[in-house]
Amino acid sequence: MAQQTGRTGVPGPEGPAGLVPLVGECLELPADAERPLIVLLGPHGAGASEAHGALMARFGTDLAPFAYLNFGSEQPLRPRYALGLIARQLERKLPRYRVSRFPRLTLGLLASDSELRDIGDLSTIPLRDQRRELHRRLGQLEDRAFQARGDYLSGFVQVAGSALGVPAGVPPVFEEMVGGAAREGARMVSGVLSRHRFAESARWYGEHRLTRGPNPWDAVIELNHWRRGSAEDEDKLERILFAAFLEDLRRNAELSFAPTSYLLLLDSCHTAYGRRFLTLLLAAREELRLAARHRGLPRPATGDPLTVVASTHRWLADWGAPSGESWGWEVRPPDGARLADWRERRPPGDGRWWYPLRLRDLTLDEVRARLSEEPRRDPSLAPFVHRFTCGLPRAVRQVLTLLDQADLPAGGGHARELWLRRLPDRTLPGASVRRRGRTLPGAGGGSVTAAQGVPPDDAEENTSLAEAALDLLLAGFDDRQRALLRTCAATPDLLTGYEVFGDGPAAQGAESPASLFGKAHAGFLLVTAREGGRLVLHPWPRRLLLWQLAARPAEWDAAHQRLSEHHAAREEPVRAMYHRLALHQINAVTAYLVRRLEEVDTPRWLAEFRTVAAAPNRIPKDKSYRDVLGPLTRGGAAEPASRLEAAVRGLLVARWLWGDPLADPERALGSTLAARLERLAEEHPRSDSLRLLNEAERYRNWIQPQTCAEEG
């Protein structure tokens, strides 16, 4: 993983280009300025955790108080527990600032604590004594918390401490900062039970629009009743606690020697409680904005000092269709993210606070940089790793973990090609997944989530790369959907696969969130093809699904046969030939390409040829291109083929194997492809020979593109 050095000189992970400067801009804003809620979008393994780690390393040491929570942890994290954990972390003392306090939030959490018996009715007590009696009862709970844990907020660590695990790749010093800030502290660290702060905080609750009357003590009692009331009461409790949290942040920022910005990092917000947390936070922020505008001031303070960077591995239902059209945001990568861009493109309505950024795959140079971090690694493998993984950050990290194994043959040659050929089946060190279990450690950091209630001894050891990667990428897909997705992977166009293998020929409901296509789209498993703009499966999960499909020969043949017939019936011969080549029907595909030489011009023929030759193959796992190139080129025909047909067949087989990184990991077939294109130019003089010769030179001097193109 590429490293950046924080302000303290401690190296940390390098985040996506553009994200760190954007957050830096937000942290430099005045405390009352409006800030975006930055949300990082991408599939599992897209680099969200690394981005959080980079922000933690860059800003969390002394620039601003920060808090990190992972809503994808094993422990479900209710929003009010999350607020307690966040406040506990933000109270960490930084050398340049005074300690931040959260008296309103802490009073609200104390009053609504499940361990506190019903406060009861204080109306029989004289008004002058109500504050004293309420203080006494809440103080008893504070005393019990002090005896058990040191202070009240630290108790939330025991309830939901598993959400504090820092992202993969972050140095241990930051893990200690997160965990230590949540564990350590002194009694009454928030000062909530001091006479002044207690009365001030209670008065704030009494003046809030959600409480019934002006008596502050009745308002605090009402919080306790809400905790034990209906779902509507629970909603009101959470809303007022979030409002108290933002109010505490604003009041802190008004003090001398206090931070004017706070950084909140939220991982895996696609979970139920993660979505709920974001909804409550934005509702509190919008309420604060509207209330400030209603005051009629010339320049109302409509913001708060909290900079939030959240991540989600699924498109949230509140945003509408995954295309983003109904939401009002055109999602872009973080490279060009700036505050000015957010302000310029900020839509009206519910989307005004969001700033969605789609995490992109690594470029070839970025993959090469990660290989160069370890002296023992061979940088010449960067093009292979990039082609194989398409640059998905977690996939790159997992492959590098395997390449670091001592049994990788050194240098090039047949032995290393065969070793790389079986890479998807190789055991990934540290990978341990369950069929559908609680959170388990995943390879290269992160976690794997499955259904609750599976006993610990159900964990599967010796997990292969393909199993470990797909288990995380397809989290949320049941066994039936995974099997269907494996079959649909026979075509890069998932919608076509869904039409053929899904719910009928029309695939009614294909775009619905519950469908296979809808879940894959919402889970960021689809990318836009470079040509045609259609949505196709991301090459990394598709490659692994095809690897598993190839291990089931009958399923492989049935899938490609049905797809070939489907496209033939629709008079789409090029796509039909793609699947016939996957069935190893090389003679039929060769005959088709020979006919097309006479029917279309050379540029179009080359485009069709590339589309057909991008088909997947099912050559044996123990063989590389060296072992199969000759037999597949010669074929089994009884009669010798014509010279033109032999030239086309040889070119087709070479291009077919060249396109598979597991068959030709170092693209050694480039010179063979060039020679066979030159031969075709000789055998078919009526073609555009110059175009064929230029194509030959392109393969002979192949330059690996920086970004991953569509795989088929």
Side-chain angles (χ1 to χ4, degrees):
M1 180 184 301
Q3 302 285 312
Q4 71 167 3
T5 301
R7 289 173 61 88
T8 59
V10 179
E14 182 178 352
L19 180 62
V20 171
L22 170 65
V23 172
E25 282 187 278
C26 293
L27 293 176
E28 292 174 357
L29 289 172
D32 57 0
E34 293 188 2
R35 291 165 165 79
L37 194 161
I38 303 165
V39 57
L40 307 177
L41 311 176
H44 285 282
S49 294
E50 290 91 335
H52 288 309
L55 296 174
M56 193 182 299
R58 178 65 181 86
F59 301 111
T61 53
D62 64 345
L63 274 181
F66 81 91
Y68 171 83
L69 285 184
N70 183 0
F71 284 99
S73 64
E74 182 176 356
Q75 175 67 45
L77 192 58
R78 292 181 177 274
R80 60 177 173 272
Y81 296 158
L83 285 179
L85 284 171
I86 291 167
R88 191 67 190 83
Q89 294 182 69
L90 295 181
E91 287 181 336
R92 183 178 69 251
K93 178 71 173 70
L94 295 180
R96 63 197 302 186
Y97 298 124
R98 68 190 302 161
V99 174
S100 297
R101 309 285 190 181
F102 294 86
R104 294 161 191 80
L105 174 63
T106 308
L107 176 60
L109 292 172
L110 272 167
S112 60
D113 196 296
S114 60
E115 294 184 11
L116 188 67
R117 293 185 176 87
D118 198 332
I119 294 177
D121 185 5
L122 298 182
S123 60
T124 59
I125 302 175
L127 186 62
R128 66 179 181 275
D129 297 328
Q130 288 183 7
R131 183 198 62 79
R132 185 181 305 154
E133 178 61 17
L134 186 59
H135 186 284
R136 186 187 66 80
R137 298 184 189 186
L138 292 175
Q140 291 175 349
L141 176 59
E142 177 79 3
D143 287 339
R144 293 199 300 270
F146 172 63
Q147 294 172 4
R149 298 177 287 268
D151 64 78
Y152 176 69
L153 288 181
S154 289
F156 289 92
V157 180
Q158 296 186 9
V159 176
S162 62
L164 293 173
V166 298
V170 176
V173 62
F174 298 105
E175 184 172 5
E176 180 56 31
M177 286 171 65
V178 172
R183 289 190 304 269
E184 300 168 2
R187 184 172 184 250
M188 294 189 297
V189 66
S190 293
V192 67
L193 295 183
S194 66
R195 180 181 299 273
H196 170 69
R197 289 200 172 184
F198 179 75
E200 181 185 10
S201 300
R203 188 163 49 250
W204 181 87
Y205 280 103
E207 295 171 353
H208 197 276
R209 66 177 185 84
L210 289 176
T211 51
R212 292 193 199 131
N215 188 328
W217 323 123
D218 287 342
V220 176
I221 293 170
E222 195 168 11
L223 301 183
N224 185 265
H225 294 168
W226 286 348
R227 172 67 176 79
R228 304 163 188 278
S230 64
E232 183 180 355
D233 290 335
E234 180 88 0
D235 179 71
K236 288 193 292 186
L237 173 61
E238 290 179 334
R239 286 163 60 193
I240 203 169
L241 289 176
F242 272 76
F245 172 63
L246 291 184
E247 183 65 18
D248 282 334
L249 287 174
R250 295 180 69 207
R251 296 295 183 91
N252 280 321
E254 293 172 355
L255 301 174
S256 58
F257 303 107
T260 57
S261 291
Y262 298 82
L263 178 60
L264 177 56
L265 308 174
L266 302 173
D267 217 340
S268 300
C269 289
H270 56 277
T271 60
Y273 286 133
R275 297 195 304 271
R276 177 65 177 162
F277 186 95
L278 295 181
T279 298
L280 290 166
L281 179 62
L282 289 182
R285 183 171 274 184
E286 181 66 12
E287 182 179 311
L288 178 66
R289 183 184 73 88
L290 294 176
R293 290 189 179 278
H294 289 162
R295 295 190 188 104
L297 299 176
R299 299 183 62 184
T302 58
D304 59 74
L306 187 64
T307 296
V308 184
V309 182
S311 65
T312 173
H313 300 310
R314 284 197 292 276
W315 186 267
L316 303 187
D318 293 343
W319 299 340
S323 61
E325 296 172 358
S326 58
W327 192 26
W329 274 106
E330 178 188 352
V331 181
R332 299 175 180 175
D335 301 66
R338 295 292 184 273
L339 268 177
D341 177 66
W342 173 66
R343 290 168 178 150
E344 179 183 347
R345 300 196 296 122
R346 190 179 184 187
D350 295 339
R352 60 177 290 108
W353 293 106
W354 298 97
Y355 192 12
L357 302 173
R358 176 64 161 90
L359 294 171
R360 62 167 175 79
D361 295 328
L362 301 176
T363 65
L364 173 60
D365 285 346
E366 289 167 340
V367 171
R368 183 177 285 111
R370 297 195 177 200
L371 262 81
S372 301
E373 290 170 6
E374 296 289 340
R376 66 180 182 276
R377 292 175 183 163
D378 184 355
S380 69
L381 284 172
F384 162 74
V385 175
H386 188 250
R387 290 171 60 209
F388 181 47
T389 64
C390 200
L392 190 70
R394 185 189 297 270
V396 171
R397 189 167 68 246
Q398 290 171 327
V399 170
L400 293 185
T401 299
L402 287 172
L403 294 182
D404 288 342
Q405 291 185 2
D407 60 342
L408 171 64
H414 195 213
R416 187 159 80 166
E417 291 167 359
L418 292 178
W419 193 97
L420 295 173
R421 171 74 181 149
R422 299 188 64 91
L423 202 55
D425 283 342
R426 297 198 174 274
T427 300
L428 193 60
S432 178
V433 298
R434 295 172 184 163
R435 289 300 180 191
R436 303 291 175 267
R438 294 172 296 172
T439 303
L440 286 167
S447 60
V448 178
T449 303
Q452 296 289 335
V454 179
D457 58 1
D458 195 39
E460 294 187 359
E461 304 293 340
N462 301 321
T463 307
S464 71
L465 170 64
E467 292 170 334
L470 286 175
D471 199 80
L472 192 61
L473 285 166
L474 304 185
F477 290 78
D478 59 31
D479 289 338
R480 183 192 65 81
Q481 291 171 324
R482 292 183 181 214
L484 179 57
L485 193 60
R486 183 178 64 234
T487 303
C488 290
T491 172
D493 188 342
L494 183 59
L495 188 55
T496 297
Y498 190 78
E499 290 175 356
V500 174
F501 304 109
D503 301 332
Q508 296 182 0
E511 294 281 1
S512 72
S515 73
L516 181 74
F517 182 86
K519 290 185 73 170
H521 197 184
F524 307 107
L525 296 178
L526 305 182
V527 295
T528 303
R530 215 168 35 167
E531 298 178 1
R534 57 197 173 101
L535 290 174
V536 298
L537 265 174
H538 188 286
W540 172 243
R542 185 184 179 224
R543 190 181 306 285
L544 300 179
L545 288 165
L546 282 170
W547 183 266
Q548 293 184 343
L549 186 63
R552 300 166 171 83
E555 290 184 25
W556 175 284
D557 291 345
H560 285 288
Q561 185 63 41
R562 286 186 62 182
L563 287 165
S564 175
E565 294 169 355
H566 169 81
H567 290 299
R570 294 195 172 193
E571 298 183 348
E572 297 170 339
V574 175
R575 299 182 74 179
M577 289 298 150
Y578 172 97
H579 294 288
R580 294 192 71 176
L581 183 59
L583 290 167
H584 289 230
Q585 296 176 4
I586 301 175
N587 290 339
V589 177
T590 300
Y592 169 80
L593 291 173
V594 170
R595 289 197 306 273
R596 294 297 284 170
L597 273 172
E598 304 296 337
E599 297 170 353
V600 298
D601 59 21
T602 301
R604 181 173 176 181
W605 186 89
L606 284 172
E608 293 184 1
F609 167 76
R610 286 192 289 265
T611 298
V612 172
N617 64 72
R618 195 166 55 80
I619 65 174
K621 294 180 180 180
D622 59 347
K623 298 185 183 300
S624 74
Y625 79 92
R626 299 173 189 262
D627 305 301
V628 298
L629 178 64
L632 290 176
T633 300
R634 292 188 295 272
E639 296 293 331
S642 68
R643 292 172 62 90
L644 178 59
E645 186 175 345
V648 171
R649 182 187 180 101
L651 178 62
L652 173 65
V653 170
R655 178 58 176 80
W656 188 29
L657 298 175
W658 176 90
D660 182 0
L662 293 177
D664 184 11
E666 299 182 10
R667 284 201 152 152
L669 280 171
S671 58
T672 301
L673 260 173
R676 293 185 177 185
L677 278 163
E678 292 167 347
R679 181 186 174 191
L680 178 60
E682 295 175 359
E683 299 297 340
H684 194 259
R686 293 188 300 278
S687 64
D688 185 342
S689 299
L690 181 60
R691 185 71 63 124
L692 292 175
L693 294 176
N694 285 340
E695 187 79 352
E697 285 304 307
R698 190 170 73 93
Y699 286 110
R700 179 175 283 113
N701 302 294
W702 181 259
I703 299 175
Q704 179 76 11
Q706 282 293 317
T707 59
C708 186
E710 175 188 351
E711 292 290 318

